[in-house]
């Protein structure tokens, strides 16, 4: 009558059994992890905070757990271009300047020429305006 469940071994060293299975547990965990990384898993959730039917805050959480190979299969490779995560990634300014230096397009050259022409016209207009103001002051004196 001292044992509430007769015929069942209780956990603990007194009976020689543990409540957690020892054999195969790491293999099972490794199998589960391998399957999750191979297939990928998405966890999604939204948190909304409302006060008297007025939405104050909405937080959308999305978590993707997958292997690098599986992520690349899905078209996800943002870590390769992030300088803080990849030593091969360049900062955005370096990428832009290198692209423009190596292959300037004809359209960029035309735009540059048009801007230079417009700048020269504006400078000459400002110079002419200053000259007329200076000439007007000399006549008043």
């Amino acid at each position: 009558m001292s044992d509430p469940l007769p015929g069942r071994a209780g956990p603990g060293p007194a009976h020689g059994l543990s409540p957690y299975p020892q054999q195969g547990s790491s293999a099972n965990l490794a199998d589960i992890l391998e399957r999750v990384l191979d297939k990928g898993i998405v966890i999604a959730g939204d948190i909304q905070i409302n006060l008297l039917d007025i939405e104050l805050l909405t937080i959308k959480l999305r978590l993707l757990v997958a292997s690098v190979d599986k992520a690349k299969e899905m078209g996800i490779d943002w870590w390769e271009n992030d300088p803080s995560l990849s030593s091969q990634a360049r900062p955005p300014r370096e990428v832009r300047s290198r692209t423009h230096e190596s292959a300037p397009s004809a359209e960029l050259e035309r735009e540059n020429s048009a801007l230079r022409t417009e700048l020269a016209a504006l400078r000459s207009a400002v110079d002419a305006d200053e000259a007329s103001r200076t000439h007007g002051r000399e006549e008043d004196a």
Side-chain angles (χ1 to χ4, degrees):
M1 211 113 183
S2 64
D3 190 4
L5 298 172
R8 184 172 179 187
H15 297 282
L17 297 174
S18 170
Y20 306 107
Q22 296 298 318
Q23 294 178 347
S25 66
S26 62
N28 289 337
L29 180 61
D31 291 342
I32 292 170
L33 186 58
E34 183 179 345
R35 285 181 187 168
V36 166
L37 292 177
D38 185 44
K39 301 287 184 188
I41 184 171
V42 175
I43 301 170
D46 297 341
I47 299 171
Q48 278 189 334
I49 299 175
N50 297 336
L51 179 65
L52 300 174
D53 293 333
I54 299 172
E55 186 177 319
L56 298 177
L57 178 68
T58 299
I59 300 172
K60 294 183 179 262
L61 302 171
R62 305 292 182 261
L63 174 67
L64 170 69
V65 178
S67 67
V68 171
D69 294 333
K70 186 64 177 177
K72 285 184 178 181
E73 275 181 34
M74 295 186 293
I76 302 170
D77 62 353
W78 53 264
W79 62 87
E80 290 180 349
N81 299 320
D82 189 339
S84 62
L85 297 175
S86 173
S87 62
Q88 296 175 348
R90 289 185 204 87
R93 271 187 252 136
E94 289 180 22
V95 171
R96 269 189 242 123
S97 64
R98 183 175 169 220
T99 304
H100 290 302
E101 288 171 10
S102 62
S105 68
E107 185 175 336
L108 283 176
E109 289 178 15
R110 281 193 303 268
E111 183 181 4
N112 192 6
S113 177
L115 288 172
R116 287 179 189 274
T117 305
E118 185 177 348
L119 181 61
L122 288 172
R123 283 183 177 161
S124 63
V126 167
D127 290 342
D129 188 40
E130 285 181 9
S132 67
R133 286 185 190 174
T134 306
H135 183 63
R137 287 186 201 148
E138 291 174 359
E139 290 178 359
D140 291 338

